[in-house]
Amino acid sequence: MKLDNATILKLAEHLENAELQAHDVTKITDDYPDMDWDDAYAIQDEIRRRKEARGNKVAGLKCGLTSFAKMKQMGVETPVFGFVADYMSRPDGGEIKHSELIHPKVEAEICIVTKAPLKGPGCHVGTVMAAVDFVLPAVEIIDSRYRDFKFDLKSVIADNTSSSRFVIGGNMRNLDELDLRTLGVVLEINGEIKAMAAGAAVLGHPLAAVAMLANHLGARGQEIPAGTFIMTGGVTEAIPVAKGDNVNVRFQELGNVSFRFA
Ligand code: 0L1
Ligand code: MG
């Protein structure tokens, strides 16, 4: 690690305040160009600790930048990992206050809940398949705290991978009823199709993202517990949204997820 503990704490407070007060900041690597990957995840861990100390719960884990479309959109080649907290959840069919966010974008995600722990190294799609309890659809609302969504990977990891809101659909399915690679997704805003893709857009198979997450945590002496909700990453590029927009995502076999920006 390149940053001392006091700097980790200061940067976590700085980024979490930007999230909670909905204001943007410049990317932290501008001021700390030597920070490394461990520093970035240590800042994210401190943000998680701050939320838990305030009484919030971790509601799930997320993989980000896992689709070829998103990697291209953001000019990166490596997935990142973060978490979503309970207060970020909004109901299917409900409203999200645009004024509570900086410059939100939406992305459609194939999600799972685990029924057994997953611990890397050595996890792969087959290991993950054995640990999946059920599959369900969700839409993530990302909201980078960085001005104009301009960041590098270390900055975005420290910023908890732009987590801000998520909406889970109510239709769960067993994995053996689905082929996640060919599962189609159509993202509409105000009735207009903005993006579409199939599950294979996520690293060839959405569960490959979960395997990467398990291996990433395993390298840090951690595991994915049974009963964990995991978002495998946007299948398409993320689409910016404005106040008043109606979002509807059609997931083949998994139903629709819809909500409105009020
Ligand atoms: O969930 C995501 O893919 C977000 C990753 C962070 C980068 C971004 O804000 O697009
Ligand atoms: Mg995402």
Side-chain angles (χ1 to χ4, degrees):
M1 293 195 38
K2 299 281 172 25
L3 302 182
D4 60 28
N5 196 44
T7 308
I8 300 279
L9 300 187
K10 185 180 81 173
L11 289 173
E13 183 177 10
H14 170 68
L15 289 172
E16 207 210 6
N17 282 346
E19 178 218 325
L20 298 175
Q21 297 161 12
H23 65 76
D24 63 10
V25 295
T26 54
K27 66 181 196 303
I28 58 173
T29 48
D30 289 350
D31 293 323
Y32 298 92
D34 296 332
M35 65 179 272
D36 63 20
W37 302 102
D38 289 338
D39 293 320
Y41 278 108
I43 295 166
Q44 184 191 117
D45 288 347
E46 172 60 17
I47 289 175
R48 177 174 173 157
R49 192 204 61 75
R50 289 172 65 86
K51 292 187 188 307
E52 289 177 331
R54 220 178 279 123
N56 293 131
K57 304 282 179 220
V58 169
L61 303 180
K62 59 168 279 192
C63 312
L65 302 172
T66 49
S67 76
F68 306 122
K70 274 224 67 176
M71 288 187 204
K72 187 171 169 211
Q73 179 183 34
M74 305 316 298
V76 300
E77 291 175 0
T78 317
V80 293
F81 306 103
F83 68 90
V84 286
D86 49 3
Y87 70 89
M88 299 176 178
S89 172
R90 292 293 179 276
D92 188 15
E95 289 191 340
I96 293 177
K97 282 195 185 136
H98 196 276
S99 59
E100 290 180 353
L101 306 173
I102 305 165
H103 43 199
K105 297 182 185 180
V106 292
E107 52 187 29
E109 309 213 7
I110 295 167
C111 304
I112 62 159
V113 172
T114 58
K115 63 183 175 193
L118 274 168
K119 187 169 171 61
C123 286
H124 48 72
V125 170
T127 334
V128 178
M129 281 177 169
V132 172
D133 194 356
F134 54 88
V135 179
L136 72 177
V139 178
E140 183 177 22
I141 297 89
I142 53 168
D143 193 33
S144 175
R145 269 53 72 169
Y146 296 120
R147 201 150 298 150
D148 303 322
F149 264 85
K150 291 218 168 67
F151 49 67
D152 48 40
L153 282 178
K154 289 172 194 160
S155 295
V156 84
I157 289 165
D159 184 31
N160 188 24
T161 64
S162 310
S163 299
S164 76
R165 300 284 182 270
F166 64 101
V167 178
I168 300 178
N171 194 6
M172 61 179 257
R173 294 291 295 271
N174 291 330
L175 184 60
D176 60 9
E177 299 168 348
L178 304 169
D179 183 344
L180 297 188
R181 297 165 302 177
T182 56
L183 193 145
V185 180
V186 178
L187 192 161
E188 300 169 347
I189 299 191
N190 302 325
E192 189 185 330
I193 295 175
K194 295 286 187 184
M196 51 189 140
V202 173
L203 298 170
H205 195 301
L207 298 187
V210 181
M212 281 187 84
L213 170 64
N215 292 333
H216 160 80
L217 292 175
R220 307 171 82 220
Q222 299 167 18
E223 66 177 27
I224 302 174
T228 303
F229 168 66
I230 303 172
M231 307 178 75
T232 63
V235 289
T236 67
E237 71 272 31
I239 307 295
V241 280
K243 189 172 173 185
D245 278 351
N246 288 290
V247 177
N248 180 45
V249 182
R250 302 170 191 271
F251 291 83
Q252 187 182 5
E253 311 286 353
L254 296 173
N256 291 11
V257 178
S258 57
F259 53 93
R260 178 171 182 273
F261 281 91

